[in-house]
Amino acid sequence: MINVTKTFLPDQEQYIQYIREIWDRGYVTNNGPLLQELEEKLKSYLGVDHLYFCTNGTIVLQIAIKALEIKGDVITTPFSYCATSNAILWENCNPVFVDIDPDTFNINASLIEQAITPATTAILATHVYGNPCDVERIEEVAAKHKLKVIYDAAHAFGVTYKGRSLLSFGDISTCSFHATKVFHTIEGGALISNHPELDRKLHLMRAFGHQGDEHYLYAGINGKNSEMHAAMGLVNLPHVGEIIAARREVCDGYDRLLNWEILSRPVINPHIEYNYAYYPVVFPSEEVMFRVMDALKAEDVVPRRYFYPSLNTLSFMPAYIPCPVSEDIALRVLSLPLYVGLPQADVERIAGIINANLLP
Ligand SMILES: *Cc1c(COP(=O)(O)O)cnc(C)c1O
Protein backbone atom coordinates (compact mmCIF):
# COMPACT_ATOMS: atom_id res chain seq x y z
CA MET A 1 0.00 0.00 0.00
CA ILE A 2 1.13 3.55 -0.71
CA ASN A 3 -0.06 5.79 2.08
CA VAL A 4 -0.19 9.58 2.11
CA THR A 5 2.85 9.51 4.38
CA LYS A 6 5.46 7.14 5.74
CA THR A 7 7.59 7.82 8.78
CA PHE A 8 11.27 8.46 8.15
CA LEU A 9 13.23 6.00 10.27
CA PRO A 10 16.94 6.61 10.69
CA ASP A 11 19.75 4.11 11.20
CA GLN A 12 18.67 1.80 14.03
CA GLU A 13 22.22 1.42 15.41
CA GLN A 14 22.56 5.17 15.95
CA TYR A 15 19.31 5.25 17.88
CA ILE A 16 20.30 2.23 19.95
CA GLN A 17 23.60 3.92 20.80
CA TYR A 18 21.65 6.79 22.36
CA ILE A 19 19.38 4.31 24.17
CA ARG A 20 22.45 2.58 25.67
CA GLU A 21 23.67 5.96 26.93
CA ILE A 22 20.28 6.56 28.53
CA TRP A 23 20.47 3.16 30.26
CA ASP A 24 24.00 3.92 31.49
CA ARG A 25 22.87 7.23 32.97
CA GLY A 26 19.66 5.79 34.36
CA TYR A 27 18.00 9.12 33.58
CA VAL A 28 14.99 8.91 31.25
CA THR A 29 13.02 12.15 31.53
CA ASN A 30 12.66 15.57 33.27
CA ASN A 31 14.83 18.01 31.34
CA GLY A 32 17.56 15.41 30.70
CA PRO A 33 20.85 15.92 28.87
CA LEU A 34 19.58 14.63 25.50
CA LEU A 35 16.55 16.91 25.68
CA GLN A 36 18.82 19.87 26.38
CA GLU A 37 21.17 18.87 23.58
CA LEU A 38 18.24 18.59 21.15
CA GLU A 39 16.91 22.00 22.16
CA GLU A 40 20.31 23.60 21.55
CA LYS A 41 20.69 21.91 18.17
CA LEU A 42 17.15 22.84 17.11
CA LYS A 43 17.71 26.47 18.08
CA SER A 44 20.84 26.63 16.01
CA TYR A 45 19.36 24.69 13.06
CA LEU A 46 16.21 26.81 12.98
CA GLY A 47 17.84 30.12 13.89
CA VAL A 48 15.58 30.85 16.87
CA ASP A 49 16.53 31.96 20.37
CA HIS A 50 13.96 30.39 22.68
CA LEU A 51 12.66 26.86 22.09
CA TYR A 52 11.09 24.31 24.44
CA PHE A 53 10.78 20.67 23.43
CA CYS A 54 7.43 19.23 24.53
CA THR A 55 5.33 16.10 24.14
CA ASN A 56 3.28 17.06 21.09
CA GLY A 57 2.08 19.80 18.81
CA THR A 58 -1.27 20.14 20.57
CA ILE A 59 -0.21 20.68 24.18
CA VAL A 60 2.15 23.42 22.98
CA LEU A 61 -0.82 25.32 21.54
CA GLN A 62 -2.54 25.06 24.90
CA ILE A 63 0.58 26.15 26.79
CA ALA A 64 1.01 29.10 24.40
CA ILE A 65 -2.58 30.26 25.01
CA LYS A 66 -2.16 29.84 28.77
CA ALA A 67 1.25 31.52 28.94
CA LEU A 68 0.08 34.56 26.97
CA GLU A 69 -2.98 34.76 29.26
CA ILE A 70 -5.35 34.75 26.32
CA LYS A 71 -9.04 34.90 27.17
CA GLY A 72 -12.31 35.40 25.31
CA ASP A 73 -12.42 35.45 21.52
CA VAL A 74 -9.54 34.10 19.47
CA ILE A 75 -9.55 34.78 15.75
CA THR A 76 -8.51 31.63 13.96
CA THR A 77 -8.54 29.75 10.67
CA PRO A 78 -11.14 27.16 9.67
CA PHE A 79 -8.62 25.49 7.34
CA SER A 80 -6.26 23.60 9.65
CA TYR A 81 -6.07 20.40 11.62
CA CYS A 82 -8.67 20.15 14.39
CA ALA A 83 -5.92 20.49 17.03
CA THR A 84 -5.75 24.22 16.26
CA SER A 85 -9.33 25.05 17.21
CA ASN A 86 -9.60 22.27 19.81
CA ALA A 87 -6.74 23.89 21.74
CA ILE A 88 -8.71 27.15 21.82
CA LEU A 89 -11.76 25.29 23.17
CA TRP A 90 -9.68 23.38 25.77
CA GLU A 91 -8.41 26.70 27.08
CA ASN A 92 -12.00 27.90 27.46
CA CYS A 93 -11.64 30.47 24.73
CA ASN A 94 -14.02 31.08 21.87
CA PRO A 95 -12.83 30.38 18.31
CA VAL A 96 -13.90 33.08 15.86
CA PHE A 97 -13.34 31.75 12.36
CA VAL A 98 -12.15 34.07 9.62
CA ASP A 99 -12.26 32.70 6.08
CA ILE A 100 -9.15 31.81 4.09
CA ASP A 101 -7.37 33.35 1.15
CA PRO A 102 -8.38 31.44 -2.00
CA ASP A 103 -4.76 31.40 -3.28
CA THR A 104 -2.78 30.35 -0.20
CA PHE A 105 -5.52 28.69 1.91
CA ASN A 106 -4.12 30.60 4.91
CA ILE A 107 -6.31 32.87 7.00
CA ASN A 108 -7.32 35.88 4.88
CA ALA A 109 -5.50 38.69 6.67
CA SER A 110 -7.64 41.35 5.00
CA LEU A 111 -10.76 39.91 6.70
CA ILE A 112 -9.31 39.83 10.22
CA GLU A 113 -9.93 43.44 11.19
CA GLN A 114 -13.69 43.31 10.56
CA ALA A 115 -13.96 40.27 12.87
CA ILE A 116 -12.35 42.06 15.82
CA THR A 117 -14.64 43.02 18.70
CA PRO A 118 -13.90 44.22 22.25
CA ALA A 119 -13.86 40.53 23.27
CA THR A 120 -11.02 39.67 20.86
CA THR A 121 -7.67 39.05 22.53
CA ALA A 122 -5.62 37.02 20.08
CA ILE A 123 -5.06 35.58 16.62
CA LEU A 124 -4.15 31.90 16.21
CA ALA A 125 -3.28 31.17 12.59
CA THR A 126 -1.75 28.16 10.84
CA HIS A 127 0.97 28.29 8.19
CA VAL A 128 -0.96 25.81 6.08
CA TYR A 129 1.21 23.18 4.34
CA GLY A 130 4.27 25.18 5.50
CA ASN A 131 3.29 28.16 3.33
CA PRO A 132 3.50 31.38 5.39
CA CYS A 133 0.50 33.40 6.50
CA ASP A 134 0.55 37.09 5.61
CA VAL A 135 2.74 37.70 8.66
CA GLU A 136 3.31 41.41 7.99
CA ARG A 137 -0.39 42.23 7.71
CA ILE A 138 -1.23 40.10 10.75
CA GLU A 139 1.49 41.82 12.78
CA GLU A 140 0.11 45.21 11.77
CA VAL A 141 -3.51 44.41 12.72
CA ALA A 142 -2.38 42.75 15.97
CA ALA A 143 -0.28 45.76 16.98
CA LYS A 144 -3.10 48.18 16.17
CA HIS A 145 -5.64 46.24 18.28
CA LYS A 146 -3.20 44.98 20.94
CA LEU A 147 -3.79 41.31 20.13
CA LYS A 148 -1.45 38.42 20.86
CA VAL A 149 -0.38 36.32 17.90
CA ILE A 150 0.25 32.57 17.96
CA TYR A 151 1.23 30.67 14.84
CA ASP A 152 0.48 26.98 14.58
CA ALA A 153 3.68 26.17 12.70
CA ALA A 154 3.19 22.38 12.81
CA HIS A 155 3.87 22.31 9.04
CA ALA A 156 6.60 24.93 8.97
CA PHE A 157 9.70 23.17 10.27
CA GLY A 158 12.78 24.56 8.53
CA VAL A 159 10.86 27.06 6.40
CA THR A 160 12.49 30.46 6.08
CA TYR A 161 10.65 33.58 4.94
CA LYS A 162 12.76 36.42 3.51
CA GLY A 163 15.80 34.70 4.97
CA ARG A 164 14.37 34.44 8.49
CA SER A 165 12.89 31.42 10.25
CA LEU A 166 9.14 31.40 9.81
CA LEU A 167 9.00 30.17 13.42
CA SER A 168 10.35 33.50 14.62
CA PHE A 169 7.12 35.39 13.82
CA GLY A 170 4.30 36.08 16.26
CA ASP A 171 4.49 36.07 20.05
CA ILE A 172 4.80 32.29 20.09
CA SER A 173 5.01 29.73 17.30
CA THR A 174 4.31 26.07 17.92
CA CYS A 175 5.69 23.04 16.12
CA SER A 176 4.70 19.40 15.91
CA PHE A 177 7.36 16.70 15.68
CA HIS A 178 4.83 13.92 15.17
CA ALA A 179 5.92 10.88 13.13
CA THR A 180 4.06 12.22 10.08
CA LYS A 181 5.85 15.58 9.96
CA VAL A 182 8.96 16.64 8.02
CA PHE A 183 11.11 16.34 11.16
CA HIS A 184 9.92 14.01 13.89
CA THR A 185 10.70 12.71 17.38
CA ILE A 186 7.97 9.99 17.16
CA GLU A 187 5.67 12.18 19.24
CA GLY A 188 6.82 15.68 20.08
CA GLY A 189 6.43 19.37 19.63
CA ALA A 190 8.01 22.68 20.52
CA LEU A 191 7.22 26.15 21.73
CA ILE A 192 9.21 28.89 20.01
CA SER A 193 8.93 32.20 21.77
CA ASN A 194 10.12 35.63 20.79
CA HIS A 195 9.96 37.00 24.32
CA PRO A 196 12.94 36.39 26.62
CA GLU A 197 10.71 37.41 29.54
CA LEU A 198 8.53 34.34 28.84
CA ASP A 199 11.52 32.00 29.16
CA ARG A 200 11.03 30.94 32.73
CA LYS A 201 7.26 30.79 32.41
CA LEU A 202 7.29 28.49 29.38
CA HIS A 203 10.05 26.34 30.85
CA LEU A 204 8.07 25.90 34.06
CA MET A 205 4.60 25.68 32.54
CA ARG A 206 5.49 22.60 30.48
CA ALA A 207 6.47 20.85 33.71
CA PHE A 208 3.65 21.54 36.19
CA GLY A 209 4.65 25.18 36.81
CA HIS A 210 6.86 24.76 39.84
CA GLN A 211 10.55 25.19 40.50
CA GLY A 212 11.92 22.63 42.94
CA ASP A 213 9.73 21.84 45.90
CA GLU A 214 9.50 25.42 47.09
CA HIS A 215 8.24 27.64 44.32
CA TYR A 216 4.81 26.91 42.86
CA LEU A 217 4.41 29.71 40.31
CA TYR A 218 1.98 28.76 37.56
CA ALA A 219 -0.93 26.42 36.82
CA GLY A 220 1.34 24.35 34.60
CA ILE A 221 0.73 21.05 32.88
CA ASN A 222 2.78 17.98 32.04
CA GLY A 223 4.05 18.70 28.55
CA LYS A 224 7.71 17.71 28.99
CA ASN A 225 9.18 15.13 26.68
CA SER A 226 11.47 12.18 27.40
CA GLU A 227 15.07 11.28 26.65
CA MET A 228 13.93 8.52 24.26
CA HIS A 229 12.03 11.04 22.17
CA ALA A 230 14.91 13.53 22.30
CA ALA A 231 17.22 10.74 21.09
CA MET A 232 15.04 10.17 18.01
CA GLY A 233 15.24 13.89 17.31
CA LEU A 234 19.03 13.91 17.63
CA VAL A 235 19.33 11.02 15.19
CA ASN A 236 16.86 12.53 12.70
CA LEU A 237 17.99 16.16 12.74
CA PRO A 238 21.16 15.65 10.62
CA HIS A 239 18.94 14.06 7.93
CA VAL A 240 16.55 17.01 7.52
CA GLY A 241 18.42 18.37 4.48
CA GLU A 242 18.19 15.09 2.61
CA ILE A 243 14.60 14.54 3.78
CA ILE A 244 13.55 17.88 2.29
CA ALA A 245 15.52 17.21 -0.92
CA ALA A 246 13.85 13.80 -1.36
CA ARG A 247 10.41 15.29 -0.76
CA ARG A 248 11.16 18.02 -3.27
CA GLU A 249 11.86 15.42 -5.94
CA VAL A 250 8.49 13.79 -5.37
CA CYS A 251 6.79 17.21 -5.54
CA ASP A 252 8.67 18.11 -8.73
CA GLY A 253 7.38 14.87 -10.25
CA TYR A 254 3.76 15.71 -9.43
CA ASP A 255 4.32 19.28 -10.66
CA ARG A 256 5.53 17.95 -13.99
CA LEU A 257 3.00 15.17 -14.48
CA LEU A 258 -0.40 16.30 -13.23
CA ASN A 259 -2.99 17.88 -15.50
CA TRP A 260 -2.98 21.56 -14.48
CA GLU A 261 -5.63 22.43 -17.02
CA ILE A 262 -8.09 20.86 -14.59
CA LEU A 263 -6.32 20.69 -11.23
CA SER A 264 -4.98 23.49 -9.08
CA ARG A 265 -2.89 23.91 -5.97
CA PRO A 266 -2.17 26.63 -3.44
CA VAL A 267 0.22 29.38 -4.48
CA ILE A 268 3.50 28.92 -2.63
CA ASN A 269 4.99 32.19 -1.41
CA PRO A 270 7.96 33.13 -3.64
CA HIS A 271 9.96 34.53 -0.70
CA ILE A 272 10.45 31.23 1.12
CA GLU A 273 12.80 28.30 1.35
CA TYR A 274 10.15 25.61 1.33
CA ASN A 275 10.13 22.28 3.21
CA TYR A 276 7.76 20.35 0.89
CA ALA A 277 5.66 19.28 3.85
CA TYR A 278 2.54 18.33 1.86
CA TYR A 279 1.35 17.99 -1.70
CA PRO A 280 -2.26 19.19 -1.83
CA VAL A 281 -4.21 19.22 -5.09
CA VAL A 282 -7.60 20.82 -5.58
CA PHE A 283 -10.16 19.16 -7.86
CA PRO A 284 -12.86 21.00 -9.80
CA SER A 285 -15.59 19.47 -7.62
CA GLU A 286 -16.11 17.11 -4.70
CA GLU A 287 -17.50 14.60 -7.17
CA VAL A 288 -14.24 14.52 -9.15
CA MET A 289 -12.25 14.35 -5.90
CA PHE A 290 -14.24 11.26 -4.80
CA ARG A 291 -13.90 9.63 -8.21
CA VAL A 292 -10.12 10.10 -8.13
CA MET A 293 -9.86 9.02 -4.49
CA ASP A 294 -11.77 5.81 -5.22
CA ALA A 295 -9.62 5.10 -8.29
CA LEU A 296 -6.45 5.58 -6.22
CA LYS A 297 -7.76 3.37 -3.40
CA ALA A 298 -8.59 0.66 -5.94
CA GLU A 299 -4.86 0.69 -6.78
CA ASP A 300 -3.89 0.61 -3.09
CA VAL A 301 -2.92 4.28 -3.02
CA VAL A 302 -4.33 6.18 -0.04
CA PRO A 303 -4.39 9.98 -0.21
CA ARG A 304 -5.83 12.04 2.62
CA ARG A 305 -8.60 14.60 2.77
CA TYR A 306 -6.38 17.21 4.39
CA PHE A 307 -7.88 19.45 5.52
CA TYR A 308 -11.44 18.24 5.78
CA PRO A 309 -13.87 19.17 7.20
CA SER A 310 -13.63 22.92 7.45
CA LEU A 311 -13.32 23.45 11.22
CA ASN A 312 -16.06 26.10 11.41
CA THR A 313 -18.59 23.39 10.47
CA LEU A 314 -17.80 21.04 13.38
CA SER A 315 -20.83 20.29 15.51
CA PHE A 316 -19.13 21.12 18.81
CA MET A 317 -18.19 24.68 17.86
CA PRO A 318 -20.07 27.27 19.95
CA ALA A 319 -21.60 28.86 16.85
CA TYR A 320 -21.62 28.35 13.10
CA ILE A 321 -19.65 31.10 11.38
CA PRO A 322 -19.86 30.75 7.59
CA CYS A 323 -16.51 30.50 5.78
CA PRO A 324 -17.48 29.79 2.17
CA VAL A 325 -13.96 29.64 0.72
CA SER A 326 -12.65 27.23 3.34
CA GLU A 327 -15.77 25.04 3.19
CA ASP A 328 -15.48 24.84 -0.58
CA ILE A 329 -11.73 24.03 -0.69
CA ALA A 330 -12.07 21.47 2.12
CA LEU A 331 -14.56 19.50 0.00
CA ARG A 332 -12.28 19.37 -3.04
CA VAL A 333 -8.73 18.96 -1.74
CA LEU A 334 -6.59 15.84 -1.37
CA SER A 335 -3.04 15.54 -0.07
CA LEU A 336 -1.09 13.09 -2.23
CA PRO A 337 1.46 10.53 -1.02
CA LEU A 338 4.73 12.29 -0.20
CA TYR A 339 7.62 10.75 1.71
CA VAL A 340 11.28 9.85 1.54
CA GLY A 341 11.66 6.70 -0.54
CA LEU A 342 8.53 7.08 -2.67
CA PRO A 343 9.87 5.99 -6.08
CA GLN A 344 9.39 8.23 -9.13
CA ALA A 345 7.76 5.26 -10.86
CA ASP A 346 5.00 5.39 -8.23
CA VAL A 347 4.71 9.16 -8.57
CA GLU A 348 4.18 8.60 -12.30
CA ARG A 349 1.63 5.87 -11.64
CA ILE A 350 -0.29 8.02 -9.13
CA ALA A 351 -0.29 11.01 -11.47
CA GLY A 352 -1.49 8.73 -14.27
CA ILE A 353 -4.42 7.43 -12.22
CA ILE A 354 -5.39 10.98 -11.23
CA ASN A 355 -5.21 12.37 -14.77
CA ALA A 356 -7.18 9.40 -16.15
CA ASN A 357 -10.06 10.00 -13.73
CA LEU A 358 -10.54 13.75 -14.00
CA LEU A 359 -13.21 13.42 -16.66
CA PRO A 360 -16.11 10.96 -16.32
C1 LIG B 1 -0.01 17.76 13.30
C2 LIG B 1 -0.67 19.04 13.60
C3 LIG B 1 -0.98 19.43 14.91
C4 LIG B 1 -0.89 18.52 16.09
O1 LIG B 1 0.35 18.03 16.34
P1 LIG B 1 0.50 16.74 17.28
O2 LIG B 1 1.97 16.68 17.50
O3 LIG B 1 0.00 15.58 16.48
O4 LIG B 1 -0.28 16.97 18.51
C5 LIG B 1 -1.49 20.71 15.12
N1 LIG B 1 -1.71 21.54 14.10
C6 LIG B 1 -1.46 21.20 12.83
C7 LIG B 1 -1.71 22.19 11.74
C8 LIG B 1 -0.96 19.92 12.53
O5 LIG B 1 -0.74 19.57 11.26
Side-chain angles (χ1 to χ4, degrees):
M1 184 183 83
I2 296 180
N3 199 10
V4 63
T5 186
K6 185 173 170 184
T7 301
F8 175 85
L9 287 171
D11 179 61
Q12 210 178 80
E13 275 312 310
Q14 280 182 20
Y15 187 63
I16 290 168
Q17 187 52 42
Y18 276 110
I19 299 302
R20 287 204 188 92
E21 279 177 37
I22 295 169
W23 248 254
D24 290 344
R25 268 193 297 274
Y27 195 92
V28 296
T29 189
N30 285 2
N31 206 32
L34 295 182
L35 178 139
Q36 291 183 35
E37 186 183 339
L38 179 64
E39 286 184 342
E40 288 312 311
K41 289 193 165 150
L42 285 171
K43 281 189 254 187
S44 113
Y45 180 84
L46 297 167
V48 297
D49 294 329
H50 311 280
L51 178 147
Y52 307 88
F53 180 47
C54 295
T55 40
N56 59 65
T58 305
I59 200 83
V60 285
L61 286 166
Q62 293 178 237
I63 296 172
I65 293 169
K66 192 77 94 191
L68 293 169
E69 296 173 22
I70 290 166
K71 305 260 186 292
D73 289 0
V74 177
I75 288 178
T76 192
T77 176
F79 196 75
S80 183
Y81 185 56
C82 62
T84 314
S85 46
N86 287 357
I88 295 172
L89 293 172
W90 272 81
E91 291 307 316
N92 280 319
C93 293
N94 183 40
V96 174
F97 293 102
V98 165
D99 209 352
I100 58 170
D101 179 292
D103 292 330
T104 65
F105 306 175
N106 283 317
I107 194 167
N108 189 334
S110 60
L111 300 178
I112 291 177
E113 199 154 21
Q114 67 200 57
I116 295 173
T117 71
T120 311
T121 59
I123 300 167
L124 169 46
T126 301
H127 300 301
V128 176
Y129 308 127
N131 197 25
C133 293
D134 187 343
V135 288
E136 285 100 355
R137 188 93 181 254
I138 290 174
E139 195 168 301
E140 211 176 278
V141 178
K144 183 170 160 198
H145 296 273
K146 300 199 162 42
L147 306 178
K148 306 283 194 216
V149 178
I150 299 172
Y151 286 112
D152 181 338
H155 298 179
F157 187 87
V159 175
T160 59
Y161 173 63
K162 295 183 177 169
R164 169 178 160 193
S165 172
L166 187 53
L167 305 173
S168 68
F169 290 86
D171 292 292
I172 294 179
S173 289
T174 63
C175 254
S176 166
F177 304 149
H178 183 257
T180 53
K181 311 289 187 196
V182 168
F183 164 78
H184 82 89
T185 60
I186 308 171
E187 293 274 357
L191 289 154
I192 294 97
S193 137
N194 296 306
H195 297 295
E197 68 275 14
L198 283 181
D199 269 1
R200 187 151 177 259
K201 191 175 194 180
L202 293 173
H203 177 73
L204 293 179
M205 268 194 158
R206 72 166 169 191
F208 304 106
H210 67 94
Q211 182 141 45
D213 287 338
E214 300 290 323
H215 305 288
Y216 283 73
L217 295 160
Y218 304 108
I221 197 156
N222 186 357
K224 63 192 152 54
N225 216 333
S226 81
E227 291 290 278
M228 277 72 173
H229 292 83
M232 182 58 90
L234 287 167
V235 181
N236 279 339
L237 189 57
H239 294 291
V240 171
E242 59 191 89
I243 289 171
I244 291 175
R247 300 176 77 97
R248 181 185 183 148
E249 251 180 71
V250 172
C251 294
D252 286 350
Y254 287 133
D255 278 351
R256 214 171 41 243
L257 296 162
L258 288 168
N259 181 350
W260 300 111
E261 306 272 306
I262 296 178
L263 298 165
S264 64
R265 54 188 256 95
V267 177
I268 304 295
N269 190 303
H271 303 291
I272 65 171
E273 284 282 340
Y274 192 39
N275 64 359
Y276 302 89
Y278 296 90
Y279 200 92
V281 286
V282 181
F283 296 85
S285 67
E286 189 183 29
E287 186 193 341
V288 179
M289 185 280 298
F290 272 128
R291 187 165 63 230
V292 168
M293 190 163 75
D294 290 344
L296 289 168
K297 283 184 177 165
E299 299 282 336
D300 242 5
V301 176
V302 184
R304 184 166 181 210
R305 300 190 78 184
Y306 198 74
F307 295 110
Y308 172 85
S310 186
L311 299 172
N312 62 309
T313 65
L314 296 177
S315 63
F316 50 83
M317 290 303 162
Y320 169 64
I321 301 169
C323 295
V325 180
S326 173
E327 289 170 43
D328 172 50
I329 298 289
L331 292 177
R332 300 190 280 127
V333 69
L334 283 183
S335 279
L336 302 185
L338 170 55
Y339 50 84
V340 176
L342 180 64
Q344 276 296 321
D346 283 325
V347 173
E348 284 169 25
R349 192 163 64 85
I350 293 165
I353 298 168
I354 295 170
N355 289 342
N357 284 279
L358 293 176
L359 301 174

